[in-house]
């Protein structure tokens, strides 16, 4: 009974908004029904991506950078073997810094002394065949990678998913308006105004992993893609015909 009262109150509120209002053109007043339609959908992702990199140390800047570069070249070749095209692999960071080590002085204090150089290089790889991502990560470790982070799942065309739920949200708004008009005993006219509200969801990043360092392992990394939620909200006002 309480739920029925709640629904009746909501319908009364919506109809209260349908009082005579000044039309946008300012020439006349007309009655209308104002509703908000909502829709959501969960879509399986159609690509997976991961950032894979290496940190290498060398006695000279060139030695450190060459060590990291050698591994990254192997990663690029490895990715090509998994069907990854050139447009689906890209460098995300290259760094070169002087390494130091802590040295204890005779008086008990400590100081930092130069200790060669550290170079880091990482690439982001995107795979359409998401089932191979775990195997790619494992083989990347065998190729010399020692840093894996930013695992993500997404949609290649998130706009298509958003458009689909917007259509569903508009249909929901039309259905609401139709029910209210029927309950009130009036005839529903054409929509006078339609507005969409930006919603979250449908983003390329569906899941992100924290940075991690991994030891080499012969077991593919287990991953679960899940689904990506997309939602839409449409506010619409409909004329009430005389």
């Amino acid at each position: 009974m309480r739920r029925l009262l709640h629904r009746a109150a909501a319908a009364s509120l919506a109809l209260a908004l349908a009082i005579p209002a000044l039309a946008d053109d300012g020439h006349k007043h007309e009655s209308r029904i104002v509703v908000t339609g909502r829709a959501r959908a969960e879509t399986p992702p159609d690509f997976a991506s991961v950032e894979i990199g290496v940190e290498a140390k060398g006695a000279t800047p060139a030695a450190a950078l060459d060590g990291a570069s050698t591994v990254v070249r192997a990663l690029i070749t490895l990715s090509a073997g998994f069907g990854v095209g050139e447009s689906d692999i890209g460098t995300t960071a290259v760094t070169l810094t002087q390494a130091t080590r802590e040295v204890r002085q005779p008086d008990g204090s400590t100081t930092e002394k130069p200790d060669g150089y550290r170079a880091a290089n990482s690439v982001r790889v995107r795979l359409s065949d998401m089932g191979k991502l775990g195997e790619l990560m494992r083989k990347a470790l065998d190729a010399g990678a020692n840093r894996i982070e930013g695992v993500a799942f997404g949609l290649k065309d998130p706009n298509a998913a958003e458009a689909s739920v917007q259509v569903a949200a508009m249909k929901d708004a039309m259905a609401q308006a139709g029910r209210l008009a029927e309950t009130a005993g009036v005839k529903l006219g054409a929509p006078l105004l339609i507005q969409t509200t930006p919603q979250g969801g449908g983003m390329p990043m569906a899941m992100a992993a924290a940075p991690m360092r991994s030891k080499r392992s012969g077991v593919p990394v287990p991953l679960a893609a899940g689904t990506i939620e997309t939602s839409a909200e449409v506010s619409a006002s409909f004329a009430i015909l005389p």
Side-chain angles (χ1 to χ4, degrees):
M1 181 65 179
R2 184 172 295 175
R3 171 177 282 185
L4 292 175
L5 291 174
H6 177 71
R7 290 180 177 175
S12 298
L13 176 60
L15 287 173
L17 295 175
I19 60 176
L22 182 63
D24 293 336
D25 58 14
H27 297 307
K28 63 179 181 178
H29 290 73
E30 63 182 7
S31 298
R32 62 184 66 187
I33 293 177
V34 180
V35 293
T36 299
R38 297 179 178 85
R40 60 182 294 275
E42 293 187 358
T43 308
D46 54 20
F47 79 83
S49 67
V50 62
E51 188 171 319
I52 305 175
V54 59
E55 292 184 1
K57 186 178 178 181
T60 65
L65 194 58
D66 287 348
S69 298
T70 298
V71 173
V72 170
R73 279 194 292 269
L75 292 177
I76 294 174
T77 301
L78 173 66
S79 300
F82 277 80
V84 178
E86 292 184 0
S87 61
D88 288 326
I89 184 168
T91 300
T92 56
V94 177
T95 62
L96 177 64
T97 58
Q98 186 175 52
T100 61
R101 60 187 176 88
E102 190 177 86
V103 177
R104 185 172 294 278
Q105 302 297 315
D107 60 2
S109 63
T110 60
T111 185
E112 297 290 326
K113 296 290 186 180
D115 187 30
Y117 294 84
R118 290 186 185 278
N121 195 331
S122 59
V123 293
R124 176 161 289 279
V125 182
R126 188 171 80 166
L127 294 88
S128 295
D129 189 348
M130 294 178 292
K132 293 183 178 180
L133 180 59
E135 183 181 359
L136 171 64
M137 293 168 65
R138 191 266 298 171
K139 289 190 175 181
L141 301 179
D142 294 339
N146 55 22
R147 188 173 180 84
I148 296 176
E149 61 183 318
V151 177
F153 300 92
L155 298 172
K156 294 179 181 178
D157 188 4
N159 292 332
E162 183 178 358
S164 178
V165 293
Q166 282 183 340
V167 170
M170 185 60 198
K171 289 181 178 179
D172 179 52
M174 294 173 65
Q176 289 184 55
R179 290 193 297 269
L180 291 172
E182 182 179 2
T183 302
V186 297
K187 188 174 181 180
L188 187 68
L192 302 173
L193 179 66
I194 300 173
Q195 292 181 319
T196 59
T197 303
Q199 299 289 305
M203 300 298 291
M205 289 295 213
M207 182 192 78
M212 67 178 183
R213 299 176 186 273
S214 302
K215 294 183 179 179
R216 298 185 182 184
S217 170
V219 180
V221 180
L223 298 167
T227 58
I228 297 175
E229 180 179 315
T230 307
S231 60
E233 186 173 287
V234 175
S235 297
S237 61
F238 296 82
I240 296 178
L241 300 179

